[in-house]
Structures are given as structure tokens and as C-alpha cells.
Amino acid sequence: MMVDENYIKNNFSGKESFFAVSNQRCFFLEQLNNYEFGELLYVESVVTMVVNFIGAIIAISGNAVILLTFWKSSQLRSQSQLFIWCLAFADFLTGSIVQPFYGAYKIAYMVGHSSASCVLRVIFETVAWFSAALSCSLVSSIIGERYLALHYHMRYHDVITKNKIVLYIVYLLVVTAILSLSRFTTTNVASFLYINVCGLLLSLLTLLICYWKIYKVVRRHFQQIRDHNSTRGSGQAAMDMQRFKKSVINMAYVTVLYMISYIPFTSVLFAYLCYGFTANVEAAYDITRTIAFMNSSWNPFLYFWKIHELREAVKKVLKRGDPSTLIESRTQTTRCKI
């Protein structure tokens, strides 16, 4: 049975095509390539839409529990835990806005509703860059905080106060918001991408430097403990150092998954700058940023698995109890434990 071409045009007025979509400029954003049914971009878009919708459900529910637990537990207020709380907020933002709006704009674009797709895409792109930049900054800050806790040791709580951490977090929120909104100020996306690529590489370099410094200090401290094994209080010092080492290892899991999530995306940004927004680059761009978004889905389970105090508090919250009753008071020397 043949279908009249004019019939299709008349019955899908306001749409470019049911399967093939023409590319139109959307404000400051790059032009999307044509999506042909069954071809690479079409299949990739459908798969990433499904993955993001599923990831959104997991990220929203998981991070909501983490945020609620922190809110109800006055004991979970150490410097590291404040960073984790904000990281959970960034992940919740990804699950509640970024991933659903990604799927929504893709659906609107694929069925030919260009104006709706454009609006949804602007919201998605702006919030996505904000949450991604905030997450990267927070992960680097968490590892940096672990190094400062080891460097200052007994003076840590006098030098790195909670008020300073809160001010620093506010600073990160303002800077990342300005960065994400700066894309509105230029039609040349290259400068915006160069800034973000440099930011991602700087974040990665900060992680590597902090971990190297932590490794050197921990190794030196353990050597000193072995050399003075018979001195009074060496057992407590060894226990404190073991706790700190465990907290650093716990955050190493978050860091490794962060690197797995963002290194492929950073590589695609380089390809974007070198070859332009071709069909292959767009497909790789969607796939790698979907992987980056999935970081917000597995982080809550990682916290639950590796952080004992948070795990016990979450269990109590899920049972509708008071999580603070499960958090034992810590001495001044062990407050830096995650």
C-alpha cells in the first residue's frame, strides 16, 4: 500500500518529518545532525534515552535517601561529610533534571517538534554543565580535604573549620553557575569547551597530586610508628592512622569511578574541538556524557557500602527512626574520619 507524500506533510504539519529530522539552530547551541530511522544517531539516541530515564529513577531515589539522612542526622557534619552532602545534591540534580530533560529533548527532536526540543535542550545543557562542573569540583575538594586533614593533623579542626567549608561550597556554587551560564554570552562554543576541558584536566591533576602526597605522608607516618613501636600511645596513633587510611581508600572508590565516567567524555570534547560536531562525534558525545551522568546513580550505593556511619544512619532513616542515636561520639583525633 502506497502512502501519499502530501498526506504525510498535511497530517504532520509543524513537524519536519516523522523519522528524518532537519537540523535547525537552537540559540547558542551547536546544530544537531539529521536523525535517520535505523542509522547510528537514531539508534544511539533511543538507547541513551532509555539508559538516562532508568538512571534518573535510581539517582533520584538513591540521592534523596542520602540527603534525607544527612538532614536528619546532626552527627553527620564533619568537613568531609559536608562535601559528600553537596555531592549528593549535585547527583540528585542530575537525576531529577539533567537525565529526564535529556530524554525529553531527544524525543521532541526525533518526532519533529523543534521549538519544544530547543527549550528542553537549553534547560538540559545549562543544568548538565552546572551539575557536572560542581561534581568534578567537589570530588577534587574531598580529596584535597583529606590531604589537609593529614597535613595539619591535630590543628586541622582549628585551621579548616566548618564555616570555611560552607563558604568554600558557596563559592563553588557561584563559580560553577557563572560558568554554565557563560555559554549564553558567546556563539563560539570552542572557547566554552576549552575552559571546561582545562577544568576537567585540572581536576584530574589535583586528584593525582593529592593522592600522591597522601601516600607519601601515610607511608612516612607508618614508618615512624614502627620505629617507635614501644613508646606510649603508639597503639592509638597506629589506630588513628589506620582509620584515616581507610577513609582515603573509601574516597578512592569515588575518585576511580569519577575518572572512569569523565575521562571518555573529556576525550570526546577534544575530538569535538578538532573535527567539529559531526555525526560520529555527536554519537560519541551522547554516549560518553550518558556514562558521566550514570555516576550520579551509583554514588549513593557506594556511600552506603563504604561509609559505616552513613550506612547505619540510612538504615535507621529507612526504618523511620532517629539516625543520630546510631552515631557514636568521636574524639577530636578521629573526627576527620569519613
Side-chain angles (χ1 to χ4, degrees), residues 37-107:
F37 179 72
E39 294 189 352
L40 174 64
L41 280 176
Y42 189 93
V43 174
E44 166 268 311
S45 296
V46 172
V47 172
T48 53
M49 277 191 300
V50 173
V51 171
N52 275 284
F53 281 134
I54 295 174
I57 296 172
I58 299 172
I60 290 171
S61 56
N63 287 288
V65 172
I66 298 297
L67 290 172
L68 181 62
T69 301
F70 275 114
W71 180 262
K72 287 192 171 185
S73 177
S74 60
Q75 301 297 327
L76 294 174
R77 294 291 188 274
S78 74
Q79 285 83 334
S80 292
Q81 290 159 351
L82 288 175
F83 279 125
I84 294 175
W85 193 359
C86 291
L87 185 57
F89 166 74
D91 290 340
F92 181 80
L93 200 64
T94 299
S96 59
I97 297 179
V98 175
Q99 291 175 298
F101 273 75
Y102 172 85
Y105 109 74
K106 283 286 188 180
I107 291 173

Side-chain angles (χ1 to χ4, degrees), residues 204 253-265 288 291-292 295 298:
L204 176 60
Y253 286 96
V254 178
T255 304
V256 169
L257 288 175
Y258 156 78
M259 293 171 64
I260 292 173
S261 300
Y262 281 95
I263 287 179
F265 178 66
T288 54
I291 295 173
N295 195 50
W298 61 57

Side-chain angles (χ1 to χ4, degrees), residues 287-300:
I287 292 170
T288 54
R289 64 179 173 179
T290 295
I291 295 173
F293 297 155
M294 293 306 295
N295 195 50
S296 61
S297 299
W298 61 57
N299 272 345

Side-chain angles (χ1 to χ4, degrees), residues 272-309:
Y272 184 176
L273 291 169
C274 293
Y275 303 108
F277 203 61
T278 64
N280 289 335
V281 170
E282 182 180 347
Y285 186 65
D286 285 344
I287 292 170
T288 54
R289 64 179 173 179
T290 295
I291 295 173
F293 297 155
M294 293 306 295
N295 195 50
S296 61
S297 299
W298 61 57
N299 272 345
F301 299 97
L302 190 61
Y303 305 151
F304 185 83
W305 173 39
K306 299 303 297 181
I307 304 176
H308 174 74
E309 291 90 342

